[in-house]
Amino acid sequence: MKKLTILSAAMIMAFSAPAAMAKVSEAEAAKLGNELTPIGAVKAGNADGSIPAWDNGITSPVAGYEKGMHHPDPFPSDKILFTITNANKAQYAEFLTPGQNKLFELYPDTYKMNVYESRRTASLPQYVYDATKANALNAELVANGNGVSGASISVPFPIPNNGLEVIWNHILRYRGVDIKTARSQAAPTAGGSYTLIETAEEIRFSYSRPEVTLDQLKESNTLFFFKQVVRQPARLAGTALLVKETMDQEALPRQAWTYNTGQRRVRKAPNVAFDTPGTVSDGLRTTDDFDMFNGSPVRYNWELVGKKELYIPYNDYKLHSDSLEYDQILKPGHINPEFARWEKHRVWEVKATLKDGMRHIYKTRVFYIDEDSWQVSLTDMYDNRDELYRVGTAHSINYYEVPTHWSTLEIFHDLQSRRYLAMGLDNEGRMYDFDAKLSEANFTPDALRRAGIR
């Protein structure tokens, strides 16, 4: 696929930079907010105008929106520009990934991509932009790349030097401070039948708090707390998970606990990481697939391949709408393509290759990361035979009351079983609460036990 020109001297060093290299010069950092957006994307559009210039993104909620609502589409009048199918995909080959091509081949009669006008809607609060520039000057990888120091609130490496810095940008991107969600997931069979799994989740981002200091983060060594409780179906209700994620995972790896309703006990769960099957996922994703990638990057070598233009899911407000029912979305083989919106955007391509002596069911993973948000938008996962195994897509919107750009639905396609997992379904549920007030007391083993008791 066609690669774009790397855009700065620091980026040119990406292919030879050692993993410990970090920080940029004052001159490089001065580009943030000028030729680069405040978090490091190229502000200008592309040569043919199919990608526009970034113009601050969405800066206020859509008229009529009130907190607690599903988010009205800012672009309800946008029309489909063209549709990519298995029959015409060769015309768009330079803007498609191997995973996308494979989905066209597997479902030639039903899978398609409706492509719309590209709109660079990603935006963040001003204090996040302010933190980004400080991070550019001070952040560095520690613990052989298994941690970050000198950063807070926003992405640590807005002008990245290597692939490891890019994946840490995804891990540490701003998504709010205290959040409560009520989401569902489903893993349809080949025939399309499914059982809906309803979960309640709470997240406390220690790293993103506006008042946080570097000394506090160093002392606590905490990125975030995450708690998930299954509410439905009845046979799984009360199953619960608690995670404390750390900044320096060599000094202290991820801490996790589970609550089992049958035993009515909380247990430490050191195996909630890497390629352990994801919670109630029917074996269709790994633990580190959650949020497209999470956790320690230690098992892989990370190569920054470069930048390119791709069609990625974006501004998926139609797919997010509470006017849809899950039966309208979940179809055999893949979600209903009529509700998905694809746009051309620039992405960072990062290739993760399993290190010698390390174990994971994915030998190679290729991540395509939106330059405007550092959200992994697409990922291709390869097995130990170097064959494409799974394909992930993150359908995203701007949650403009925050604001933050984040996925509204994540899909993991298992190409061998021809099944998929849809995570984050919220059309029939309550909307995210970004104004939740959560303390660390919400995230203790005792709190997990109380949350799990039916």
Side-chain angles (χ1 to χ4, degrees):
M1 278 186 263
K2 184 179 178 180
K3 302 293 188 299
L4 300 185
T5 303
I6 301 301
L7 297 160
S8 71
M11 296 176 190
I12 291 171
M13 298 173 68
F15 303 98
S16 59
M21 185 174 181
K23 305 182 182 180
V24 298
S25 67
E26 290 276 0
E28 283 288 303
K31 295 178 180 179
L32 298 171
N34 291 300
E35 59 257 56
L36 302 180
T37 72
I39 64 167
V42 176
K43 187 179 286 189
N46 66 350
D48 65 9
S50 56
I51 298 174
W54 183 80
D55 188 21
N56 299 312
I58 295 180
T59 57
S60 61
V62 170
Y65 168 79
E66 295 180 4
K67 287 188 177 182
M69 293 173 57
H70 282 65
H71 298 72
D73 189 345
F75 317 110
S77 300
D78 281 7
K79 304 298 183 185
I80 298 170
L81 298 179
F82 55 89
T83 298
I84 306 174
T85 67
N86 189 58
N88 68 1
K89 68 180 187 295
Q91 298 177 37
Y92 308 98
E94 65 180 310
F95 307 117
L96 298 174
T97 67
Q100 290 170 319
N101 277 301
K102 190 65 175 180
L103 292 175
F104 283 123
E105 294 171 12
L106 286 178
Y107 308 105
D109 299 324
T110 57
Y111 187 76
K112 63 182 181 179
M113 293 167 50
N114 290 329
V115 178
Y116 291 76
E117 178 182 351
S118 297
R119 295 187 179 273
R120 297 176 67 179
T121 52
S123 60
L124 296 168
Q126 184 60 49
Y127 86 91
V128 180
Y129 293 150
D130 295 341
T132 308
K133 193 164 187 178
N135 290 349
L137 295 169
N138 298 298
E140 56 187 342
L141 297 169
V142 296
N144 295 312
N146 205 21
V148 173
S149 71
S152 66
I153 299 172
S154 184
V155 295
F157 309 111
I159 305 174
N161 288 294
N162 53 65
L164 194 51
E165 292 183 356
V166 172
I167 203 64
W168 272 111
N169 283 348
H170 166 78
I171 294 169
L172 297 181
R173 72 198 190 282
Y174 179 85
R175 285 156 285 175
V177 178
D178 293 326
I179 306 165
K180 286 187 176 181
T181 75
R183 308 193 303 166
S184 297
Q185 65 183 50
T189 65
S193 62
Y194 62 88
T195 298
L196 201 66
I197 309 293
E198 298 179 11
T199 61
E201 298 172 356
E202 296 179 347
I203 313 172
R204 185 181 195 274
F205 287 104
S206 306
Y207 177 85
S208 299
R209 314 188 81 78
E211 72 278 8
V212 75
T213 67
L214 295 179
D215 287 343
Q216 289 171 334
L217 287 174
K218 185 175 181 179
E219 181 178 356
S220 69
N221 193 19
T222 304
L223 288 177
F224 63 79
F225 295 92
F226 172 81
K227 184 169 65 181
Q228 179 189 71
V229 182
V230 178
R231 296 304 188 198
Q232 294 289 341
R235 62 184 173 83
L236 297 173
T239 303
L241 169 68
L242 172 65
V243 172
K244 175 186 175 182
E245 192 74 304
T246 56
M247 285 193 70
D248 183 340
Q249 298 221 358
E250 187 171 283
L252 180 67
R254 166 185 288 173
Q255 305 292 289
W257 299 260
T258 57
Y259 177 79
N260 183 287
T261 55
Q263 298 176 341
R264 293 184 177 271
R265 293 185 61 184
V266 172
R267 292 182 177 273
K268 285 289 294 287
N271 61 335
V272 178
F274 301 113
D275 60 354
T276 301
T279 305
V280 292
S281 67
D282 221 5
L284 294 174
R285 71 164 178 88
T286 62
T287 294
D288 61 7
D289 277 331
F290 189 90
D291 193 36
M292 304 304 283
F293 182 82
N294 73 91
S296 168
V298 71
R299 294 192 179 183
Y300 290 93
N301 293 310
W302 298 85
E303 176 192 355
L304 182 57
V305 178
K307 251 186 184 178
K308 62 176 59 173
E309 297 175 2
L310 289 180
Y311 294 117
I312 62 176
Y314 224 87
N315 294 311
D316 265 305
Y317 292 93
K318 184 184 295 186
L319 188 60
H320 167 83
S321 172
D322 58 356
S323 67
L324 292 180
E325 297 179 353
Y326 298 142
D327 282 348
Q328 295 175 273
I329 298 172
L330 302 170
K331 299 299 180 182
H334 51 78
I335 63 169
N336 190 333
E338 297 297 346
F339 302 124
R341 176 175 176 136
W342 297 83
E343 300 179 3
K344 186 191 288 185
H345 287 263
R346 285 184 293 246
V347 300
W348 293 97
E349 180 180 356
V350 174
K351 183 177 181 180
T353 306
L354 197 62
K355 292 178 179 176
D356 291 342
M358 291 291 186
R359 179 191 174 280
H360 201 289
I361 64 170
Y362 304 145
K363 180 181 177 182
T364 304
R365 308 163 88 156
V366 183
F367 297 92
Y368 305 95
I369 302 170
D370 170 39
E371 70 165 344
D372 285 334
S373 64
W374 299 101
Q375 161 84 54
V376 172
S377 295
L378 302 170
T379 180
D380 292 342
M381 293 85 94
Y382 295 81
D383 62 19
N384 288 320
R385 300 168 298 175
D386 296 318
E387 294 183 0
L388 196 58
Y389 179 14
R390 290 177 178 164
V391 176
T393 61
H395 298 265
S396 59
I397 65 170
N398 183 313
Y399 293 86
Y400 35 66
E401 75 275 31
V402 181
T404 185
H405 182 94
W406 198 3
S407 60
T408 180
L409 184 64
E410 296 176 2
I411 309 295
F412 294 95
H413 290 272
D414 187 297
L415 304 179
Q416 297 175 3
S417 66
R418 295 203 176 192
R419 295 182 62 199
Y420 68 95
L421 176 69
M423 296 182 58
L425 293 160
D426 57 18
N427 310 74
E428 298 179 26
R430 298 190 308 276
M431 189 34 50
Y432 290 16
D433 178 7
F434 287 96
D435 290 329
K437 303 300 181 185
L438 303 173
S439 71
E440 293 190 14
N442 293 81
F443 300 94
T444 65
D446 283 344
L448 184 68
R449 181 182 297 105
R450 292 191 298 271
I453 293 174
R454 290 185 278 184

